[in-house]
Amino acid sequence: MNPTEAGLLLGADHAANESLLWGTYRPNLYFGTRPRVDKSLMTSLMWFDATQFQGFQRKLRVHACDQGDKINGYGYNKHDGRNYAKQTINDGPSNIAITTEFIKIPGGQHGGDWGVRVRGKPMDDDVETITSVMFSLALEGEGSMDIVSKLSPEGLVSPVRLEGDTPELGDFEIHIVDGPSNEHPQGLDQDLSLTQWWGRELPEGVAWREKEIVMENLLMSARQKVSQGDQHDAFERPYAYFTLLNTLTEENEEVSNFYTFQKVFSGEFQFDVLFRSQSSPNKITGDSLETELAQREKTFDARFQEKFRLHEKGFSDEHVGFAQYLLSNMLGGIGYFHGSSVVDRSHHPLEDEENFSDVPIKAELTEPRSLFTATPSRPFFPRGFYWDEGFHELLIGKWDNDLSLDIIKNWVSLIDENGWVAREQILGEEARSKVPTEFQTQFPHYANPPTLYLAIKRYLDRLTEYRQENPINQHTFMATFDNPVLLQSLHLESPEMSKAWLRAVYPKLRLNWQWFRTTQSADLSRFNRKAESKEAYRWRGRTPNHTLTSGLDDYPRGEPPNVGELHVDLLSWMSFATRLLKDISSQLGPEFSTDVQEYSLIEKEMLQNLELLHWNEENQAFCDQTVENGEPIHVCHKGYISIFPVILGLLEPDSPKVKAIFDLIEDENELWSPYGLRSLSASDKFYNTGEDYWRGPIWININYLTLQSLYNNYMRVPGPYQGQAERIYNSLRHNIISAVFKDYQKTGYVWEQYSDKTGEGKRSHPFTGWTSLVLLIMAEEY
Ligand code: 6A9
């Protein structure tokens, strides 16, 4: 990289960090903010229904997203990934619909200001509703933070004010401001029209447990108050008892790094939390928050319309609302994670696994790492997954190119010196708390499909498109650094920037590809197999009935697992990855031409072997191989893996094998269902058996791959099966959109997978990772 390019990259990273410093980067919580700093200020919202004494325990759980809270639908209805977000949480059990509306105002040297307006509205007006709402602020790492409002045991007068500073955030103020017409029930010795508060000095690393910490205080407080007075009253008016102990006074001031502010409301309510950076030129106020919220909603709607043009495709306003929900939750699912993970490095990276045990031998905590990533599901999997992320970036990249490049670069930086990146990124204790121990350990010889390359290819496609539409004046782009709107397309606009970005990520990508080729290769010489070259692959890390590394967990394979297996999905991924690297490296400049040639050659070898090793004439499908009684044989379980060579566009449009795969797809006794393609053929003996995870249910990521391939490779390219491709495309697209939309209207959620029998959502929800690709399917953006 020459100095100019390096300078440009740094400049862009600095600029990106400014506009992406703060965000709703704690997606595991209903609402929480943090900056992209390893240890800094973290905020979060929690609440409970304060009308019932017994209900308290369950109700305070409303903090981290949890299916057990029985919320009747929640999620972002609008989120632009940078400056604006609006979420609704329909908490039926507490009879309150809560909205969180968030904006950022960029400017200054520390990521600008932000504000959130929290509102509550009883869902049923006839039911008495008292809601206790808390907002916590926790400071980790260096810095300090103090309440500067006048302290009194009855409570704090609005606006509550805090001041603080940290190395990364500089000096800041936080204001917590009451809305104009809140009503409050009667307290005991505290005045519930004022804000209750509690502060404490926490040791490093425990702030993420804010819910338990606050709950403990509330229980203690309630116990103390009950013991002093009338038990009956406590049952009648629990809201007056479960209030924070305002222990600090001006005389007795302690240093705290953790504060919680509590407000007890009757009926409807509203309050704002405003974060003001000392260095910001335009300080946020309640009034500017109000005006900006209205303005930004309009801007969001207009930009959404411009990007996806759904009305023009015949979709209704309801569909557009649904589509905005999909995009917004993908963006609202973006988080910043930091901490160590558990890795077992005792296995040799080339381990051949003769005895197939993945029992951790020497699981160790790694050095802490950070990751900025989208997540598959806020309540269930609020962390990064390698192959999920490639899918996420297809949507994010379409909406905000540079945000997506930032995330991809983050992932690429996690690829280690051997080319390995862990499939699941469980960074830090908070992330680990969600994963049973036996699932925490990552192994450096385990893979996961390399989908990130696809996201990068889509970036190249956008570049090409952009250059065709906008001939570039190479010398004017520097000016865009000062312009936050243009900033969002810097890497698109500037050839230097895009080349520098590609050159920065390329070496690690190549290393990752080389890691795949060495660690996941299969040994063809051991068994008598006809092949043109040595290009054949096998997923490491198999256990009986599972191939978690493939991403298709319980999809049936050869049993028992053995070193003679060849996996058709992996060779397909490898062919695809090699082709994409060829495309990427050919953009880098003439010095990379030997790489380009190498990819070209290997791609050819892979494609030849794909047909030689994996095509099964009798079944007219692509199949795995295994070894039985010393002989290699095909294991055919028709389903997603049989169609990989077509859905990754590896077969020529006039290949008769394409026709065979199309027939398999269209057959109702095999993959076709009225709601999308099922993962395993209805006529396979394992269909709907065992855990039934990838043995029948419909997954949107694979359906998306199918649609994009039909559209890009088979339907608009002349060939004998063009008509069939178009027919499949149209009905599959229609089926997927109708099923997911209908279920969203019914349940308020989108789901991890869908039933091939009823079209109903199944398992984790909301699951707004790759299921959100339905938006790209609606918009036909492939
Ligand atoms: C393990 C919970 C008994 C499974 O979306 C993330 C991944 C996908 O990458 C993968 O293809 N999901 C799919 O098969 C969710 C994985 C969650 C792992 C959690 C611990 C076990 O509880």
Side-chain angles (χ1 to χ4, degrees):
M1 201 184 300
N2 68 41
T4 334
E5 280 173 355
L8 285 170
L9 255 189
L10 277 178
D13 281 352
H14 176 73
N17 207 35
E18 279 305 292
S19 76
L20 292 171
L21 183 69
W22 276 104
T24 52
Y25 299 147
R26 303 183 73 194
N28 58 316
L29 306 183
Y30 287 109
F31 183 82
T33 65
R34 65 170 294 167
R36 296 201 308 181
V37 176
D38 295 343
K39 288 178 184 165
S40 189
L41 181 57
M42 303 201 289
T43 79
S44 74
L45 178 72
M46 44 195 140
W47 69 91
F48 60 95
D49 169 3
T51 52
Q52 288 165 38
F53 198 85
Q54 305 90 322
F56 167 74
Q57 292 268 359
R58 186 209 80 83
K59 304 294 162 63
L60 186 66
R61 294 173 58 82
V62 189
H63 174 242
C65 303
D66 185 342
Q67 229 158 264
D69 293 334
K70 305 224 167 7
I71 304 282
N72 315 81
Y74 67 94
Y76 288 99
N77 299 100
K78 321 259 171 181
H79 199 311
D80 72 3
R82 285 183 196 257
N83 292 318
Y84 170 62
K86 177 177 180 179
Q87 174 178 232
T88 312
I89 306 155
N90 295 308
D91 183 0
S94 309
N95 193 44
I96 195 89
I98 292 189
T99 52
T100 63
E101 293 171 283
F102 173 78
I103 65 161
K104 269 168 34 191
I105 301 183
Q109 280 85 53
H110 298 280
D113 291 9
W114 60 264
V116 59
R117 172 157 294 180
V118 180
R119 287 186 291 138
K121 201 174 177 322
M123 292 171 72
D124 180 345
D125 280 330
D126 297 335
V127 175
E128 191 204 17
T129 306
I130 296 175
T131 316
S132 198
V133 189
M134 283 163 295
F135 201 88
S136 285
L137 305 159
L139 187 64
E140 300 228 291
E142 279 178 63
S144 70
M145 184 170 63
D146 292 307
I147 302 182
V148 293
S149 300
K150 188 174 152 38
L151 301 175
S152 108
E154 289 81 51
L156 303 172
V157 178
S158 171
V160 173
R161 289 174 48 226
L162 289 99
E163 279 176 9
D165 69 280
T166 81
E168 295 84 2
L169 302 174
D171 289 333
F172 60 82
E173 276 177 38
I174 294 168
H175 292 198
I176 304 177
V177 193
D178 284 344
S181 48
N182 295 326
E183 286 177 23
H184 311 270
Q186 193 72 49
L188 296 174
D189 44 1
Q190 289 159 306
D191 179 351
L192 296 186
S193 70
L194 303 177
T195 299
Q196 306 307 313
W197 91 99
W198 179 58
R200 187 179 154 188
E201 179 74 5
L202 291 181
E204 191 76 11
V206 302
W208 66 272
R209 295 180 184 277
E210 57 238 289
K211 183 183 75 184
E212 285 98 295
I213 293 167
V214 171
M215 177 129 96
E216 197 185 301
N217 179 276
L218 286 172
L219 282 170
M220 207 165 74
S221 159
R223 231 177 275 131
Q224 196 172 306
K225 284 168 195 149
V226 172
S227 73
Q228 285 160 6
D230 169 359
Q231 294 226 0
H232 181 70
D233 186 45
F235 278 94
E236 291 289 298
R237 304 190 303 137
Y239 45 82
Y241 290 78
F242 288 107
T243 50
L244 294 168
L245 295 169
N246 302 334
T247 47
L248 295 181
T249 62
E250 237 131 355
E251 301 82 62
N252 168 29
E253 200 175 339
E254 295 168 43
V255 194
S256 302
N257 56 10
F258 179 79
Y259 295 98
T260 301
F261 299 92
Q262 179 186 33
K263 292 164 179 296
V264 187
F265 299 112
S266 301
E268 238 177 291
F269 64 83
Q270 177 187 313
F271 68 95
D272 299 337
V273 179
L274 308 173
F275 176 92
R276 297 175 171 191
S277 170
Q278 182 71 47
S279 73
S280 291
N282 309 305
K283 300 258 184 303
I284 189 169
T285 63
D287 285 346
S288 65
L289 177 66
E290 178 137 347
T291 353
E292 286 293 331
L293 281 173
Q295 186 51 47
R296 289 181 194 205
E297 178 158 6
K298 281 200 197 107
T299 312
F300 175 84
D301 289 344
R303 180 161 158 215
F304 190 87
Q305 153 62 14
E306 185 242 326
K307 288 265 179 193
F308 299 110
R309 306 195 173 277
L310 294 182
H311 282 124
E312 287 159 42
K313 297 225 173 244
F315 289 108
S316 65
D317 287 347
E318 286 73 33
H319 279 107
V320 172
F322 161 66
Q324 290 190 346
Y325 177 87
L326 297 176
L327 172 74
S328 301
N329 286 290
M330 174 69 82
L331 296 166
I334 293 176
Y336 186 79
F337 303 91
H338 175 74
S340 29
S341 50
V342 184
V343 175
D344 181 347
R345 290 191 176 272
S346 61
H347 302 255
H348 189 269
L350 290 174
E351 168 141 329
D352 230 358
E353 303 182 314
E354 295 290 349
N355 52 21
F356 292 94
S357 101
D358 70 347
V359 179
I361 301 174
K362 212 168 154 241
E364 285 176 332
L365 276 183
T366 64
E367 285 292 294
R369 300 298 301 263
S370 306
L371 179 64
F372 183 54
T373 183
T375 55
S377 167
R378 288 172 62 194
F380 272 87
F381 318 125
R383 53 184 179 276
F385 289 82
Y386 187 57
W387 92 301
D388 294 66
E389 202 53 29
F391 289 104
H392 299 163
E393 293 318 312
L394 300 175
L395 177 54
I396 296 175
K398 178 71 200 158
W399 175 253
D400 183 335
N401 180 67
D402 287 12
L403 172 57
S404 169
L405 296 192
D406 199 316
I407 293 175
I408 294 172
K409 214 167 85 186
N410 255 265
W411 269 95
V412 168
S413 73
L414 289 185
I415 297 175
D416 74 8
E417 64 286 0
N418 300 315
W420 175 66
V421 56
R423 165 169 57 105
E424 197 172 336
Q425 296 291 331
I426 314 170
L427 304 178
E429 267 187 65
E430 182 170 16
R432 259 196 305 284
S433 71
K434 289 241 173 181
V435 189
T437 332
E438 67 270 28
F439 291 101
Q440 291 177 1
T441 309
Q442 305 292 309
F443 298 89
H445 57 300
Y446 286 13
N448 203 210
T451 54
L452 272 195
Y453 305 10
L454 176 59
I456 297 174
K457 173 61 165 54
R458 290 293 179 263
Y459 167 52
L460 298 183
D461 296 344
R462 283 195 294 277
L463 273 177
T464 314
E465 211 174 293
Y466 190 87
R467 282 173 191 162
Q468 280 161 1
E469 285 166 16
N470 307 279
I472 297 157
N473 176 348
Q474 303 214 3
H475 301 287
T476 53
F477 74 91
M478 279 304 291
T480 59
F481 276 111
D482 302 326
N483 185 327
V485 179
L486 286 181
L487 198 62
Q488 288 177 16
S489 58
L490 252 185
H491 290 77
L492 276 182
E493 282 197 18
S494 136
E496 286 86 352
M497 289 293 301
S498 57
K499 213 175 189 186
W501 186 86
L502 278 173
R503 285 189 176 198
V505 297
Y506 176 72
K508 282 288 189 77
L509 287 182
R510 180 167 165 82
L511 211 55
N512 184 228
W513 176 79
Q514 287 165 333
W515 175 90
F516 268 98
R517 288 196 67 227
T518 50
T519 65
Q520 310 296 302
S521 69
D523 185 357
L524 290 180
S525 63
R526 266 173 88 147
F527 305 97
N528 214 5
R529 279 160 162 151
K530 270 202 256 95
E532 289 287 325
S533 69
K534 63 177 185 56
E535 294 304 322
Y537 291 87
R538 171 168 62 87
W539 294 110
R540 302 305 193 266
R542 273 216 53 192
T543 50
N545 293 312
H546 283 93
T547 317
L548 295 182
T549 48
S550 73
L552 314 173
D553 301 14
D554 63 338
Y555 192 97
R557 308 275 181 165
E559 296 294 341
N562 64 82
V563 289
E565 288 176 69
L566 304 182
H567 296 131
V568 60
D569 50 333
L570 184 50
L571 180 54
S572 304
W573 282 119
M574 289 306 294
S575 317
F576 185 62
T578 307
R579 176 180 292 180
L580 295 175
L581 278 187
K582 182 183 72 184
D583 294 343
I584 294 167
S585 56
S586 63
Q587 302 272 323
L588 295 176
E591 323 82 283
F592 293 86
S593 65
T594 47
D595 287 8
V596 181
Q597 279 161 16
E598 184 191 7
Y599 297 130
S600 254
L601 184 80
I602 293 174
E603 183 198 349
K604 268 199 208 89
E605 294 180 342
M606 288 175 167
L607 292 176
Q608 279 168 342
N609 275 2
L610 189 57
E611 304 203 20
L612 275 172
L613 294 168
H614 292 288
W615 177 254
N616 182 281
E617 208 33 55
E618 190 192 329
N619 284 282
Q620 291 289 299
F622 289 91
C623 303
D624 281 346
Q625 284 201 26
T626 190
V627 169
E628 246 178 52
N629 308 320
E631 284 299 314
I633 55 159
H634 275 142
V635 203
C636 291
H637 296 287
K638 291 183 197 166
Y640 286 167
I641 70 165
S642 333
I643 65 173
F644 259 88
V646 167
I647 67 178
L648 295 179
L650 304 171
L651 299 185
E652 292 301 325
D654 59 357
S655 162
K657 296 190 176 92
V658 167
K659 158 93 175 114
I661 298 301
F662 284 178
D663 290 348
L664 174 65
I665 286 177
E666 271 193 307
D667 188 338
E668 287 174 20
N669 298 315
E670 309 267 17
L671 301 199
W672 193 263
S673 93
Y675 315 104
L677 302 185
R678 52 171 78 93
S679 38
L680 189 63
S681 162
S683 48
D684 191 85
K685 68 172 173 187
F686 291 113
Y687 173 63
N688 282 171
T689 61
E691 284 155 44
D692 194 23
Y693 201 26
W694 292 83
R695 294 187 176 190
I698 297 161
W699 292 81
I700 302 302
N701 61 334
I702 304 294
N703 278 277
Y704 168 84
L705 282 180
T706 308
L707 288 166
Q708 65 82 34
S709 183
L710 289 166
Y711 191 86
N712 291 326
N713 307 314
Y714 301 110
M715 173 178 135
R716 295 178 311 152
V717 179
Y721 318 118
Q722 201 180 352
Q724 192 177 8
E726 182 159 5
R727 180 173 73 221
I728 298 176
Y729 172 84
N730 286 328
S731 26
L732 182 57
R733 174 169 177 264
H734 174 262
N735 290 350
I736 296 273
I737 297 170
S738 330
V740 178
F741 175 62
K742 188 169 160 213
D743 198 64
Y744 169 75
Q745 286 195 305
K746 192 176 101 191
T747 64
Y749 289 113
V750 302
W751 300 66
E752 184 176 11
Q753 47 170 228
Y754 290 84
S755 159
D756 61 323
K757 298 197 188 68
T758 61
E760 282 168 342
K762 297 180 69 167
R763 300 200 187 228
S764 309
H765 57 281
F767 184 102
T768 45
W770 58 44
T771 301
S772 298
L773 296 185
V774 170
L775 167 52
L776 294 182
I777 296 172
M778 293 168 80
E780 302 190 278
E781 283 289 346
Y782 302 114

